[in-house]
Amino acid sequence: RMTRITRIFADSEKTFDRLFSIVVNSVFRIYSCSKGELMVHSGRSNNEKQRKNPRKSASSASSAVYYFILLLILVSGLTASASEEVIPAPVSPAPQLTVSDIKIEFLAPEQPEAFWFTMARNLIFFKKGDQFSAERLEETLKALQLCKKFSEIKVDSHEDEDQIDLLFRLRRLSLIKDIKIEGRFPLFEREILNVMTIYPGDVYFADKLSEQESLIADIYKREGFIDPQVRVSAEIDPDDGFYKVAVKIDKGKYYSVKQFVIEGNRALSTAKLKLKMKTWRSSIMSGLAGRFIESQFNKDIDNLKKFYWKKKFTDATIQSHIDKNSEKKEVAIKITITEGSKYKIHFENNEEFSKYSLKKDVVIFKQGNMHDSGLRKSKRNIIERHHQAGYLNTTVKTVADTVVRDEKSPLRDVRFFITEGPQTCVRTITITGNTVFDEQRIQNQMLTTLPGFLKKGVYVPEVFTEDLNAIRTLYLQAGYMSQAFTKKEVTFSQNKEEVDLEIEISEGPQTLVSDLSIQGLTVLPLISALELIKLKQGEPFREYLILSDKNTLAAVISEKGYPHVTVKSNTLFNEDNTRVAVEYTIVEGPAITLGNIYYSGNFRTKIKTIQNELLMEPGKPFSLIKMLEGQRNLRNMAVFNSIKFKAIGLKEKAEEVSLFVEIEEKKPYFFQFGGGYETDKGFYVLGKTGDHNLLGRNKDAWIGGEYSQIGYRFEVNLTEPRLFGTTIASSTGVYVENEDLDNVPYEVLTYGASLGFSRAWQQKFSTSLTFRFERTQRFENEEYAGESEDSDDDLSDFDELAPRSVLVTTPALSYDSRDFFIRPRKGIFTIFSVDISKGLQNSFDDFVKYQYDLRYYITPFEKLTVAWKGWLGFLDSYSPTGILPKEERFRLGGTSTVRGFDAQGIFWVYDKNEEIGGLAALLTNLEFRYDLGMNFELAVFYDGGSTTETFDEVKKATWRDSAGLGIRYITPIGPIGFLYGFKLDPKSSESPGRLHFALGYTF
């Protein structure tokens, strides 16, 4: 009763406060009316209102008096009832509106195709008979905006009692079909497209064009151009209604380097420093290549600083000044260097680690030594290295003395005095309290061990802590939830050289899963769900598996079309924690199906081609995993620059989700032309043109050819990356080839057709199967005519120069883990192939050719890469005669095999001094590649090989080898180099070596 009285009193007090406020306001209104004034409401003065309508002012004053009297009556009534509890009158709910009709109109001169109406209807999250809500309408408007198909969205409504009609008025957006760029040099087209915020396939907005102009101008300013002018315009294609964007670039003037001065350098020459700077190297070039780029200059200054640190001038500071002459478009550069002292590092009293190991901890030659911060960090690194080796009390003292040897480079002699202290090793490990696991099983979990073979058994506190966590994990996996360490004692010997470790374990009870249940599951059989989860009834309880099981159940249910599924878990232990009941509660959420799929940006690619990669069908349950897999498949296609997916309706939990696929296509056509010189084939020209997306079906078609001093080859090829929708790629081609080597007594003309199949099984493994039909004819060279005669009587009636038809089947298996195809620095590449040849007109071409290639790359130091190649080949005839075509035999020599020899200059000599190839061949290459900087590379190599009738005949007399060196220049498309090989055992009739010029690496 006291509580009720208190509440009534409080309510009465609040009521009086409100009434007092009302009375005061009313009195104020009466006073204002008596003065002929009214309250300001709309911004005009009250006097103006009163002058315009004086009767209204008088009536307002009388109304105010009326309201005041009424308020007094209300006050007396409310005061009388204040002692009673006030119960508010119920408020009737607002009437619910039902959607009776939905209409869609397009604000355009012409009516669009039917699919536009279907698409818009699928994005409206209402249907007839639904309850109308403002929240659902807001979600609909967001969906229509997110799809980026409409430039204008309007909604009108008409209400009639408890029903509402909705009218959506929409205006279609147009897309950008193509972007053409003029005047882009020296930048690539892709660089400009990357900075633009529009792309082919994007929605066209006229107001975005000016933004692109500033973005493109900025990138050219960063490339050294002073005031580039960019004009971006667009015009509509009347054939399809899409826009073509044209970008015209006038780069304008740029600054050139007029003066380049370096001062303050004493130990390092000016010429050497200038060569380290790309800005200076560019300044000696003419035209655009010699323009001044400030961002590159800043990089040069940073690199110059690091170069000084590497040369042990770790206190070096560099200041730069750029003086620009805007009239002459020239810059004068002045670089001031304060070298400081040259550092020399010594280590004293180091016994455990060598100086080479300790130098890895010294960071001053990589990070500098500003205010001795580098020395302090190096000191910490040395202490940590010893700590991890069991030296728990290591101290390091740094002493630095400056010695002036000459004016050029004063020397700062830094000595690290290391007091290692005792190395602490484990003497004993005692484990007690364990009954579930024996001591050996527990020790196997520990990194801390007793001394033994190849083990010092050092003690590191942090490692021991990790060991305890590993033991705890072992028990948790067995279901011991409450296990603990009742004792973790570490006892050092008096001299700190030995330590005794004692671990006492309180295992506690084992917890088993007594009951396992799943509630709320309807889309999956209970037995199937129980098989999916890892926790099993009767097995040890492992708490960490609950999260895994929840994720597994959610993933499987989501794939059934319930992407909003939630899974919760509950555990109930008995009193002694020996049993636990686990319950998974599933809220499946609404069933969602995939509605229509809409594509944009695929101006060339057929929709059917895209659908084959999506793995999703409208009307089927919506699958997030399939959507991600489809997105990955499309991105793996070589015809697209980018792929974006939008699942509209998923967030709103609509019954159907519309999928929008936004595509940016690559330009399909290409043309390549080049020429040059290589030692093995002389001067050559080559060209290739094709279409990467033939007829919009993701097929790669090309025609190409090469003509050189040793022959020619022309080829037409068609590649299907997804044969019949599988992951198998097929390639079909026809070709003609002529080869006429100077030191080979025959010329070979081949017409052929090929059909190949390949598949990548993983990222590194791949297999292939190729069929070739060839029509081959061999011609004798005039200079060798009459020298070659077949010695086998079985072939006396066979004309080797007659045309032959051959069918070759080649299975192959390859593995490639190289980090980079053009310039590998680490990894392995290997391939094994077998050519099974069958002559269609005779048995002369009945043979099997085995080939195995193994390459290995390693970079032990930053600038040094070691590359090795081993190759072997073997020919085995299964024809009755056992005779093989000469052009199929193995011959070595040349840029790609054994350098220092002519191309195919290593061969097996027949009994009658006839120079033919061998049936067995071995080859090895070893090359050291050292980075000289400025994109130059030094190569030192050894090559060796042998061609014989069998591998048993390989010996010193048949082994031909060479050694040499060369220089390469690294370009973005590969190296260009000169290499000279010296024959290690030249014959009297041979040259001492040979110079090779080549594009790309030998291997």
Side-chain angles (χ1 to χ4, degrees):
R1 178 173 177 81
M2 291 300 295
T3 304
R4 172 177 171 83
I5 293 174
T6 303
R7 185 171 67 251
I8 293 175
F9 179 79
D11 292 341
S12 300
E13 187 176 20
K14 292 178 181 178
T15 303
F16 280 115
D17 289 342
R18 289 196 296 269
L19 290 174
F20 180 77
S21 177
I22 294 173
V23 170
V24 171
N25 289 331
S26 299
V27 172
F28 179 74
R29 288 175 61 88
I30 294 171
Y31 174 78
S32 299
C33 291
S34 65
K35 292 290 186 179
E37 298 176 355
L38 288 175
M39 299 295 292
V40 177
H41 178 68
S42 61
R44 294 182 298 177
S45 67
N46 296 311
N47 292 330
E48 291 178 353
K49 295 180 181 180
Q50 188 175 359
R51 284 193 296 269
K52 291 181 179 180
N53 196 351
R55 290 184 178 181
K56 188 174 181 179
S57 300
S59 64
S60 298
S62 61
S63 297
V65 174
Y66 170 78
Y67 285 127
F68 177 69
I69 297 172
L70 181 61
L71 284 172
L72 290 177
I73 298 172
L74 288 174
V75 169
S76 61
L78 288 173
T79 305
S81 61
S83 59
E84 298 295 332
E85 185 174 6
V86 179
I87 301 175
V91 180
S92 59
Q96 292 290 330
L97 297 177
T98 302
V99 178
S100 59
D101 193 16
I102 300 174
K103 294 181 179 179
I104 300 173
E105 291 182 1
F106 279 88
L107 304 173
E110 70 282 351
Q111 285 298 314
E113 297 85 351
F115 90 93
W116 282 89
F117 287 93
T118 303
M119 176 178 62
R121 185 65 190 86
N122 291 336
L123 296 177
I124 297 173
F125 303 135
F126 289 108
K127 57 179 180 290
K128 292 182 180 180
D130 285 351
Q131 294 293 324
F132 175 80
S133 70
E135 293 79 8
R136 204 64 171 168
L137 179 61
E138 183 68 21
E139 292 173 355
T140 297
L141 296 177
K142 286 183 179 179
L144 291 170
Q145 293 171 354
L146 283 173
C147 74
K148 297 175 69 174
K149 299 292 184 182
F150 308 106
S151 61
E152 190 174 345
I153 303 169
K154 295 180 179 179
V155 184
D156 291 334
S157 63
H158 174 70
E159 297 182 21
D160 185 8
E161 295 182 352
D162 60 346
Q163 294 186 339
I164 184 171
D165 297 338
L166 298 177
L167 174 61
F168 290 85
R169 290 189 172 94
L170 310 173
R171 189 183 301 278
R172 288 186 301 163
L173 278 172
S174 188
L175 302 180
I176 298 173
K177 181 179 181 179
D178 191 18
I179 300 178
K180 293 187 177 180
I181 303 174
E182 295 181 12
R184 58 178 172 79
F185 185 81
L187 297 181
F188 293 105
E189 182 180 71
R190 189 73 250 167
E191 293 180 279
I192 299 174
L193 291 175
N194 285 342
V195 302
M196 299 176 68
T197 58
I198 60 174
Y199 53 88
D202 192 17
V203 177
Y204 173 75
F205 290 104
D207 55 355
K208 280 191 174 183
L209 298 183
S210 59
E211 178 187 354
Q212 312 310 310
E213 294 176 350
S214 60
L215 291 173
I216 298 172
D218 287 342
I219 191 175
Y220 275 93
K221 288 178 182 178
R222 292 195 295 269
E223 286 296 317
F225 295 95
I226 301 172
D227 187 23
Q229 299 297 315
V230 180
R231 184 175 179 270
V232 181
S233 59
E235 61 178 11
I236 195 167
D237 190 337
D239 296 333
D240 50 27
F242 297 123
Y243 281 88
K244 293 182 178 180
V245 176
V247 180
K248 294 184 179 181
I249 304 170
D250 181 9
K251 298 176 289 293
K253 300 293 183 178
Y254 52 86
Y255 284 106
S256 300
V257 179
K258 179 66 174 179
Q259 187 178 20
F260 201 107
V261 176
I262 299 178
E263 62 182 20
N265 55 307
R266 298 168 302 178
L268 302 179
S269 67
T270 301
K272 191 172 187 177
L273 297 177
K274 285 183 176 180
L275 286 173
K276 286 290 179 181
M277 303 185 69
K278 187 175 181 179
T279 301
W280 181 84
R281 298 197 304 268
S282 300
S283 68
I284 61 178
M285 300 180 183
S286 60
L288 288 175
R291 70 188 184 279
F292 172 73
I293 303 175
E294 191 164 354
S295 59
Q296 180 59 52
F297 177 72
N298 294 331
K299 292 180 182 178
D300 288 340
I301 294 298
D302 290 337
N303 292 335
L304 203 60
K305 192 183 300 181
K306 294 176 182 178
F307 178 66
Y308 260 100
W309 294 345
K310 188 176 180 180
K311 290 298 181 180
K312 301 185 178 181
F313 292 89
T314 62
D315 293 330
T317 59
I318 301 176
Q319 295 180 341
S320 61
H321 178 72
I322 303 172
D323 187 12
K324 296 181 179 180
N325 188 327
S326 57
E327 293 183 0
K328 296 183 178 181
K329 304 298 184 293
E330 295 175 345
V331 298
I333 297 174
K334 182 180 179 181
I335 300 174
T336 304
I337 300 174
T338 304
E339 292 180 339
S341 301
K342 185 175 183 179
Y343 278 64
K344 188 175 183 180
I345 302 298
H346 304 275
F347 300 98
E348 304 290 345
N349 305 326
N350 56 302
E351 297 180 2
E352 177 67 20
F353 298 105
S354 66
K355 294 180 180 179
Y356 176 79
S357 298
L358 294 175
K359 282 183 178 179
K360 297 178 182 179
D361 297 325
V362 179
V363 300
I364 60 174
F365 302 128
K366 292 182 179 180
Q367 302 177 10
N369 188 37
M370 181 69 68
H371 305 302
D372 282 345
S373 60
L375 287 178
R376 290 192 294 272
K377 186 173 182 180
S378 302
K379 178 180 174 180
R380 291 194 298 269
N381 291 344
I382 295 172
I383 292 175
E384 179 61 23
R385 177 184 289 272
H386 283 80
H387 183 83
Q388 294 299 322
Y391 292 90
L392 307 182
N393 298 311
T394 298
T395 59
V396 178
K397 183 180 179 182
T398 306
V399 177
D401 298 322
T402 302
V403 180
V404 180
R405 295 183 302 178
D406 51 51
E407 294 182 356
K408 286 188 176 181
S409 56
L411 178 68
R412 192 179 188 194
D413 195 78
V414 178
R415 297 181 180 272
F416 291 95
F417 289 91
I418 303 172
T419 304
E420 293 179 342
Q423 186 179 35
T424 305
C425 296
V426 179
R427 182 166 56 189
T428 61
I429 300 178
T430 305
I431 301 174
T432 59
N434 55 305
T435 59
V436 179
F437 304 108
D438 57 32
E439 186 171 340
Q440 186 60 46
R441 175 71 183 279
I442 294 175
Q443 287 190 7
N444 289 341
Q445 297 292 114
M446 301 174 63
L447 297 176
T448 303
T449 62
L450 295 172
F453 180 69
L454 299 179
K455 297 179 181 178
K456 289 188 176 182
V458 299
Y459 170 72
V460 180
E462 294 79 7
V463 175
F464 182 58
T465 301
E466 294 176 4
D467 292 338
L468 296 178
N469 291 331
I471 296 172
R472 184 176 288 108
T473 301
L474 177 65
Y475 274 92
L476 288 174
Q477 291 174 347
Y480 290 85
M481 307 298 298
S482 58
Q483 57 81 31
F485 299 104
T486 56
K487 188 176 183 181
K488 299 174 289 184
E489 190 166 324
V490 179
T491 306
F492 291 91
S493 62
Q494 188 173 0
N495 57 7
K496 302 292 185 179
E497 292 183 355
E498 293 179 321
V499 64
D500 298 318
L501 304 178
E502 185 176 354
I503 306 172
E504 185 175 331
I505 303 173
S506 174
E507 295 175 336
Q510 184 184 33
T511 305
L512 300 178
V513 179
S514 60
D515 186 36
L516 194 61
S517 61
I518 301 177
Q519 305 296 330
L521 181 63
T522 62
V523 299
L524 194 68
L526 181 60
I527 296 178
S528 301
L530 291 174
E531 291 176 352
L532 289 172
I533 60 180
K534 296 181 179 180
L535 274 179
K536 303 294 182 183
Q537 188 171 351
E539 293 186 0
F541 174 68
R542 288 163 286 180
E543 189 175 10
Y544 59 88
L545 287 181
I546 290 181
L547 179 60
S548 174
D549 290 343
K550 288 163 59 177
N551 292 337
T552 300
L553 290 171
V556 173
I557 296 172
S558 175
E559 288 305 290
K560 298 293 182 180
Y562 295 83
H564 299 286
V565 60
T566 59
V567 182
K568 296 181 179 180
S569 62
N570 184 40
T571 55
L572 181 62
F573 293 87
N574 63 356
E575 293 182 358
D576 57 358
N577 286 337
T578 58
R579 297 291 185 270
V580 62
V582 180
E583 181 183 73
Y584 295 101
T585 302
I586 298 173
V587 179
E588 294 173 346
I592 294 179
T593 58
L594 177 64
N596 291 333
I597 305 176
Y598 303 99
Y599 307 92
S600 63
N602 55 312
F603 301 106
R604 181 176 176 85
T605 309
K606 303 294 184 183
I607 291 180
K608 182 65 176 176
T609 302
I610 302 173
Q611 289 175 339
N612 291 338
E613 303 293 331
L614 275 184
L615 309 175
M616 304 175 72
E617 296 181 18
K620 295 293 182 67
F622 179 79
S623 168
L624 285 171
I625 292 179
K626 286 185 178 179
M627 186 181 74
L628 295 175
E629 288 178 354
Q631 192 174 23
R632 183 174 62 249
N633 291 342
L634 291 177
R635 285 175 176 170
N636 289 337
M637 294 173 66
V639 297
F640 300 134
N641 277 323
S642 68
I643 299 291
K644 296 179 181 178
F645 277 30
K646 292 180 180 178
I648 297 181
L650 180 61
K651 182 180 178 182
E652 295 78 11
K653 298 184 179 181
E655 294 180 0
E656 276 192 354
V657 170
S658 299
L659 184 63
F660 288 81
V661 182
E662 297 180 5
I663 296 169
E664 181 187 356
E665 292 179 322
K666 291 182 179 178
K667 294 188 176 180
Y669 304 110
F670 68 94
F671 175 76
Q672 302 169 353
F673 181 80
Y677 176 84
E678 284 190 18
T679 305
D680 289 353
K681 58 185 177 183
F683 291 99
Y684 67 91
V685 292
L686 54 84
K688 187 176 181 180
T689 184
D691 185 349
H692 290 309
N693 193 8
L694 183 66
L695 302 177
R697 300 185 181 276
N698 190 30
K699 291 177 173 59
D700 192 358
W702 56 267
I703 179 172
E706 178 180 336
Y707 188 88
S708 69
Q709 290 183 272
I710 63 169
Y712 57 83
R713 179 182 175 93
F714 298 99
E715 185 173 2
V716 178
N717 189 276
L718 175 65
T719 300
E720 167 61 77
R722 296 293 294 268
L723 182 64
F724 304 125
T726 67
T727 56
I728 298 175
S730 67
S731 180
T732 307
V734 294
Y735 55 89
V736 57
E737 183 177 19
N738 175 268
E739 187 177 51
D740 183 12
L741 296 174
D742 293 337
N743 58 337
V744 177
Y746 48 80
E747 176 184 350
V748 180
L749 177 64
T750 303
Y751 298 91
S754 65
L755 174 63
F757 306 93
S758 61
R759 177 177 177 179
W761 295 95
Q762 292 181 350
Q763 186 177 1
K764 300 176 182 178
F765 284 100
S766 64
T767 55
S768 63
L769 178 64
T770 305
F771 301 95
R772 299 195 317 272
F773 172 78
E774 294 182 342
R775 181 75 171 172
T776 303
Q777 186 171 7
R778 196 172 73 195
F779 305 92
E780 281 192 349
N781 287 336
E782 294 181 359
E783 56 181 310
Y784 293 96
E787 295 184 9
S788 175
E789 297 182 0
D790 291 307
S791 60
D792 199 312
D793 294 337
D794 293 335
L795 293 178
S796 59
D797 58 347
F798 176 70
D799 185 6
E800 289 188 67
L801 302 182
R804 311 192 313 273
S805 298
V806 183
L807 179 64
V808 183
T809 303
T810 306
L813 172 66
S814 65
Y815 172 83
D816 191 354
S817 65
R818 292 174 295 181
D819 58 339
F820 193 38
F821 173 75
I822 296 178
R823 192 185 184 189
R825 293 174 59 83
K826 63 179 180 180
I828 296 174
F829 172 78
T830 183
I831 182 171
F832 175 70
S833 63
V834 181
D835 291 344
I836 306 171
S837 176
K838 175 63 181 176
L840 301 182
Q841 297 169 334
N842 54 71
S843 62
F844 189 59
D845 292 293
D846 294 351
F847 62 87
V848 180
K849 178 186 284 187
Y850 305 90
Q851 295 184 82
Y852 179 67
D853 189 343
L854 174 62
R855 307 177 188 188
Y856 178 68
Y857 306 88
I858 186 173
T859 303
F861 308 104
E862 182 181 357
K863 289 184 172 292
L864 177 65
T865 298
V866 181
W868 175 81
K869 173 185 174 181
W871 175 90
L872 61 86
F874 181 71
L875 270 171
D876 183 19
S877 174
Y878 62 90
S879 69
T881 63
I883 304 299
L884 292 166
K886 295 178 181 178
E887 65 269 17
E888 295 294 340
R889 288 174 171 262
F890 296 112
R891 301 170 73 101
L892 301 177
T895 305
S896 60
T897 55
V898 183
R899 288 161 286 193
F901 291 83
D902 293 339
Q904 300 195 15
I906 300 175
F907 41 79
W908 183 70
V909 180
Y910 195 60
D911 291 341
K912 295 186 178 182
N913 292 327
E914 183 181 354
E915 300 175 351
I916 62 175
L919 300 181
L922 284 175
L923 171 68
T924 185
N925 305 96
L926 179 64
E927 187 168 286
F928 297 88
R929 302 166 182 170
Y930 186 79
D931 186 1
L932 298 174
M934 295 182 293
N935 293 333
F936 284 97
E937 181 180 85
L938 174 68
V940 179
F941 62 86
Y942 168 81
D943 299 336
S946 173
T947 57
T948 55
E949 285 291 278
T950 65
F951 288 118
D952 294 336
E953 299 177 11
V954 177
K955 53 188 177 181
K956 184 177 181 180
T958 64
W959 188 261
R960 305 304 308 278
D961 51 4
S962 66
L965 72 164
I967 190 78
R968 294 189 180 104
Y969 181 75
I970 309 301
T971 71
I973 59 173
I976 302 173
F978 290 93
L979 301 103
Y980 191 89
F982 299 89
K983 298 182 179 71
L984 296 182
D985 188 15
K987 297 179 180 180
S988 57
S989 60
E990 293 178 333
S991 63
R994 184 182 174 100
L995 178 67
H996 300 271
F997 174 74
L999 301 175
Y1001 282 110
T1002 305
F1003 60 95

